[in-house]
């Protein structure tokens, strides 16, 4: 599933293309794409026609288009969703689930092979859509308080890998960047939050911010064609990964073979020598 760097990369591409654009038509080809819109597909399409995109936003793995009627169109990519900026007359993609046409004839395509992603209209609640309000701030938001987050972790008898995946504690982090941050912090994912010192908890959060920043700088992590940016281009952080997806390969710090294990039904990769 795309994590913060991938979603932010897509958001930036969509923002550059469509901020200030006016929607002239919306077509939804799979009702699952708007399954959260109770009135149905026809109402969803009609609700967006004529609205202007005034900007974009993101919290964690959620991004949205801000609309001039005060609402937001949430675009959640799920496991395989893509948003493409289309400026030519190319043939429709076989997994095209939704198409938004703008007054200047450019189009925003939502392609989603596995159909876990969705579009959802939501009222705003301050800086974020109401339906995203339960998601915790991510490390790049002004609302994120590293000290308070560290204190919360120290009170939890939860494995640190699970805590990093908890979008109610800190958002935007999934399997890839949790494993990478834990490797940088020299922490085993099975350590519990209440076993850490505050210094170590803050160090871990610092590594989370660092790895997300570095990945974002190169467009995120692409392993296959399921994640590309709004122009259809892959991200390049996969070549920098120290542990994720490298089971059996040597640790880039000490040379010990990387091990894969399962924590809470999710895969975890770590160095058994570096990470105690």
């Amino acid at each position: 599933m795309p994590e913060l760097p991938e979603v932010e990369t897509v958001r930036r591409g969509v923002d550059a293309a469509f901020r200030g654009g006016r929607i002239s038509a919306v077509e939804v080809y799979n009702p699952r794409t708007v399954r959260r819109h109770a009135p149905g597909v026809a109402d969803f399409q009609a609700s967006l026609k004529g609205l202007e995109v005034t900007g974009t936003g993101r919290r964690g793995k959620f991004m949205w288009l801000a609309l001039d009627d005060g609402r937001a169109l949430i675009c959640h990519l799920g496991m395989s969703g893509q948003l493409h900026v289309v400026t030519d007359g190319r043939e429709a993609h076989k997994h095209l689930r939704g198409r938004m046409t703008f007054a200047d004839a450019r189009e925003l395509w939502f392609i989603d092979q596995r159909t876990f992603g969705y579009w959802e209209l939501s009222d705003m609640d301050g800086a974020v859509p109401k339906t995203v309000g339960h998601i915790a701030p991510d490390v790049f938001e002004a609302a994120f308080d590293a000290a308070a987050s560290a204190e919360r972790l120290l009170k939890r008898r939860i494995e640190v890998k699970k805590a990093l995946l908890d979008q109610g504690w800190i958002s935007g982090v999934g399997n890839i960047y949790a494993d990478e941050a834990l490797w940088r912090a020299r922490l085993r994912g099975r350590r519990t939050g209440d076993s850490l010192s505050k210094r170590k908890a803050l160090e871990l959060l610092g590594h989370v911010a660092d790895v997300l920043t570095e990945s974002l700088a190169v467009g995120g992590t692409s392993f296959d064609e399921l994640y590309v940016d709004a122009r259809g281009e892959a991200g390049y952080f996969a070549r920098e990964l120290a542990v994720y997806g490298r089971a059996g390969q040597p640790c880039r710090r000490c040379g010990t073979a990387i091990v894969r294990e399962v924590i809470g039904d999710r895969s975890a990769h770590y160095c058994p020598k570096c990470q105690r």
Side-chain angles (χ1 to χ4, degrees):
M1 180 178 292
E3 302 179 35
L4 187 154
E6 293 78 46
V7 177
E8 174 62 12
T9 297
V10 172
R11 184 204 65 79
R12 291 179 181 182
V14 171
D15 188 271
F18 297 115
R19 179 187 287 262
R22 191 165 297 278
I23 302 167
S24 59
V26 177
E27 298 165 277
V28 175
Y29 304 113
N30 187 321
R32 275 186 55 78
T33 299
V34 294
R35 59 189 177 273
R36 293 171 178 247
H37 189 74
V41 171
D43 182 83
F44 180 88
Q45 294 173 155
S47 295
L48 286 168
K49 187 175 181 180
L51 297 181
E52 179 183 328
V53 176
T54 59
T56 62
R58 182 195 51 75
R59 168 164 284 187
K61 303 175 187 179
F62 289 79
M63 65 163 285
W64 59 88
L65 309 182
L67 305 170
D68 65 351
D69 68 350
R71 293 183 297 172
L73 173 62
I74 298 169
C75 304
H76 189 54
L77 301 179
M79 294 185 69
S80 61
Q82 301 174 6
L83 290 172
H84 287 197
V85 176
V86 177
T87 58
D88 54 27
R90 74 186 70 170
E91 183 178 350
H93 191 281
K94 64 180 179 179
H95 297 303
L96 181 63
R97 309 304 183 192
R99 184 201 312 254
M100 194 177 301
T101 303
F102 286 77
D104 61 3
R106 291 183 302 164
E107 297 178 347
L108 177 63
W109 287 11
F110 182 49
I111 297 167
D112 189 9
Q113 178 177 329
R114 299 180 182 176
T115 67
F116 290 127
Y118 58 85
W119 279 349
E120 179 184 17
L121 278 168
S122 174
D123 292 329
M124 294 294 291
D125 183 13
V128 300
K130 284 185 177 180
T131 56
V132 179
H134 64 290
I135 302 297
D138 61 62
V139 294
F140 298 131
E141 293 185 59
F144 179 74
D145 186 331
S149 295
E151 289 288 356
R152 281 188 63 193
L153 181 60
L154 300 182
K155 297 175 182 178
R156 302 182 69 185
R157 293 184 60 83
I158 183 175
E159 292 162 315
V160 179
K161 172 65 182 278
K162 288 183 182 178
L164 288 171
L165 302 181
D166 177 4
Q167 304 300 296
W169 176 57
I170 178 176
S171 66
V173 182
N175 254 6
I176 297 174
Y177 302 112
D179 283 357
E180 294 299 304
L182 287 165
W183 180 82
R184 293 183 181 205
R186 296 176 180 261
L187 281 173
R188 178 84 178 272
R190 289 198 180 279
R191 286 279 298 273
T192 57
D194 61 355
S195 75
L196 305 182
S197 66
K198 185 171 183 179
R199 179 192 64 79
K200 198 65 176 177
L202 286 169
E203 179 187 336
L204 174 61
L205 290 172
H207 286 303
V208 168
D210 289 344
V211 72
L212 294 177
T213 299
E214 292 168 25
S215 179
L216 180 57
V218 293
T221 302
S222 295
F223 294 112
D224 52 36
E225 71 280 1
L226 291 185
Y227 165 67
V228 293
D229 67 15
R231 296 173 298 174
E233 298 180 1
Y236 295 99
F237 195 67
R239 64 186 63 174
E240 305 298 329
L241 296 176
V243 287
Y244 184 84
R246 299 188 65 244
Q249 299 180 48
C251 172
R252 292 179 173 171
R253 190 160 48 209
C254 73
T256 303
I258 299 300
V259 174
R260 177 188 178 275
E261 63 178 349
V262 176
I263 300 177
D265 298 323
R266 304 293 295 275
S267 64
H269 302 79
Y270 71 100
C271 171
K273 182 177 181 180
C274 293
Q275 295 169 258
R276 300 287 186 174

